[in-house]
Amino acid sequence: MALLNEFMSGGEKKLKVHVSEIRRNERNFYAVVSENEEENVDNLATILREDGQDDNGVVYEDTSLNDGKKYTLLAGERRWKAITKNYENGLGDGMYEVKVVRRPADEIDELMRIVRNNAQRNKTKEVRAAEVKAMEVIWDGLVARGEKPEGKKRDWIGANIGLSPRRVQEYMTGEESDIGNEEANPEEGGNTATRRRNQPTLSSADAEYLRNLQKNLSESTGRKVKINKSFGITFYPNGFDDITTVLLDLGFTEDGYFR
């Protein structure tokens, strides 16, 4: 079908393309793991009938598959489904406003662009888990071809999908654990900065963070430090007189007031 309203913008074409000329992207995991996808498509179909299309889909040209279609989706699959649904029900002309971008260089490039084009959508835990898994595939692919990103794997993934490294680690391992089994014990001569009765379950990433924090506090203060699973931080001074030094190190006065 003829293409309408074609114009160039920064080397990228914006077109109106009939939905029959577009194929879904088999690497797009978002639609597979999203909750209530069919209901969301129905709701979007209604919105499109009433208000029209606000956002463009993103596609690239590919006629190599010999399936009668010309474009592959990178973003906007739900809108494509909604427009298709309306068209099949005799509602609308089936034209989809899209931005045509360069074809991905390879599978890794394609998967990365799918992730980045879905950066603004609301994401459930299931979607986030699938997203982290996809980013692990991308990382491994880059490493395999000698293009290892700088920094740690979880830091790089987090920076690309808007998650903290600790949260990424939790999704990567799927594990939860506590940090330590020690409780702060005043009878041992420790000065407990924080004590809580609740003992929440920690992810392995959070546990690793607290272990590193405990180690760094011990090294920087020159004293034994313990962080228990209730987040109590216990310092073990080198004698009674050293209590004042601990307070000063933490930013308090000798009388226990924060400076």
Side-chain angles (χ1 to χ4, degrees), residues 21-46:
E21 295 185 79
I22 302 172
R23 70 180 66 84
R24 76 172 300 273
N25 196 311
E26 296 299 326
R27 295 188 175 89
N28 181 16
F29 57 89
Y30 287 101
V32 177
V33 299
S34 295
E35 295 181 352
N36 305 317
E37 180 69 7
E38 185 174 351
E39 179 181 346
N40 291 331
V41 170
D42 289 341
N43 291 338
L44 183 54
T46 299

Side-chain angles (χ1 to χ4, degrees), residues 156-196:
W156 179 82
I157 291 176
N160 275 280
I161 61 176
L163 285 178
S164 69
R166 284 184 289 160
R167 189 60 62 198
V168 170
Q169 184 70 21
E170 181 177 345
Y171 282 117
M172 287 171 61
T173 62
E175 297 176 356
E176 294 183 348
S177 62
D178 296 333
I179 176 168
N181 295 313
E182 301 86 2
E183 293 294 336
N185 186 355
E187 296 180 359
E188 294 180 356
N191 296 316
T192 304
T194 304
R195 296 191 69 191
R196 296 181 183 177

Side-chain angles (χ1 to χ4, degrees), residues 35-213:
E35 295 181 352
N36 305 317
E37 180 69 7
E38 185 174 351
E39 179 181 346
N40 291 331
V41 170
D42 289 341
N43 291 338
L44 183 54
T46 299
I47 293 172
L48 290 173
R49 290 197 303 270
E50 296 176 352
D51 301 330
Q53 182 184 333
D54 291 330
D55 299 320
N56 293 329
V58 181
V59 302
Y60 65 87
E61 188 171 343
D62 182 7
T63 58
S64 66
L65 301 180
N66 297 318
D67 58 359
K69 302 183 186 299
K70 188 175 181 180
Y71 301 97
T72 299
L73 279 165
L74 281 174
E77 178 171 331
R78 187 173 294 166
R79 289 193 296 277
W80 170 71
K81 289 177 179 176
I83 295 172
T84 300
K85 187 179 187 69
N86 283 338
Y87 177 71
E88 291 175 346
N89 289 330
L91 304 169
D93 58 7
M95 301 303 292
Y96 188 11
E97 297 177 16
V98 300
K99 178 172 65 175
V100 183
V101 299
R102 68 170 178 82
R103 183 173 177 175
D106 52 30
E107 295 180 6
I108 297 301
D109 183 28
E110 184 165 18
L111 190 55
M112 175 63 88
R113 289 163 70 182
I114 289 173
V115 171
R116 288 178 174 170
N117 276 307
N118 281 275
Q120 302 304 318
R121 63 183 292 159
N122 294 326
K123 298 170 183 177
T124 63
K125 289 184 178 180
E126 290 75 19
V127 170
R128 280 298 196 185
E131 197 170 52
V132 169
K133 184 176 181 181
M135 292 303 297
E136 287 190 83
V137 172
I138 294 170
W139 170 280
D140 293 342
L142 293 173
V143 171
R145 66 189 191 193
E147 299 176 12
K148 181 181 180 296
E150 295 183 3
K152 295 182 179 180
K153 186 175 187 178
R154 67 180 190 179
D155 294 342
W156 179 82
I157 291 176
N160 275 280
I161 61 176
L163 285 178
S164 69
R166 284 184 289 160
R167 189 60 62 198
V168 170
Q169 184 70 21
E170 181 177 345
Y171 282 117
M172 287 171 61
T173 62
E175 297 176 356
E176 294 183 348
S177 62
D178 296 333
I179 176 168
N181 295 313
E182 301 86 2
E183 293 294 336
N185 186 355
E187 296 180 359
E188 294 180 356
N191 296 316
T192 304
T194 304
R195 296 191 69 191
R196 296 181 183 177
R197 291 183 179 179
N198 295 332
Q199 298 178 3
T201 299
L202 297 178
S203 69
S204 59
D206 287 338
E208 180 184 352
Y209 169 79
L210 290 182
R211 282 193 292 269
N212 289 333
L213 178 61

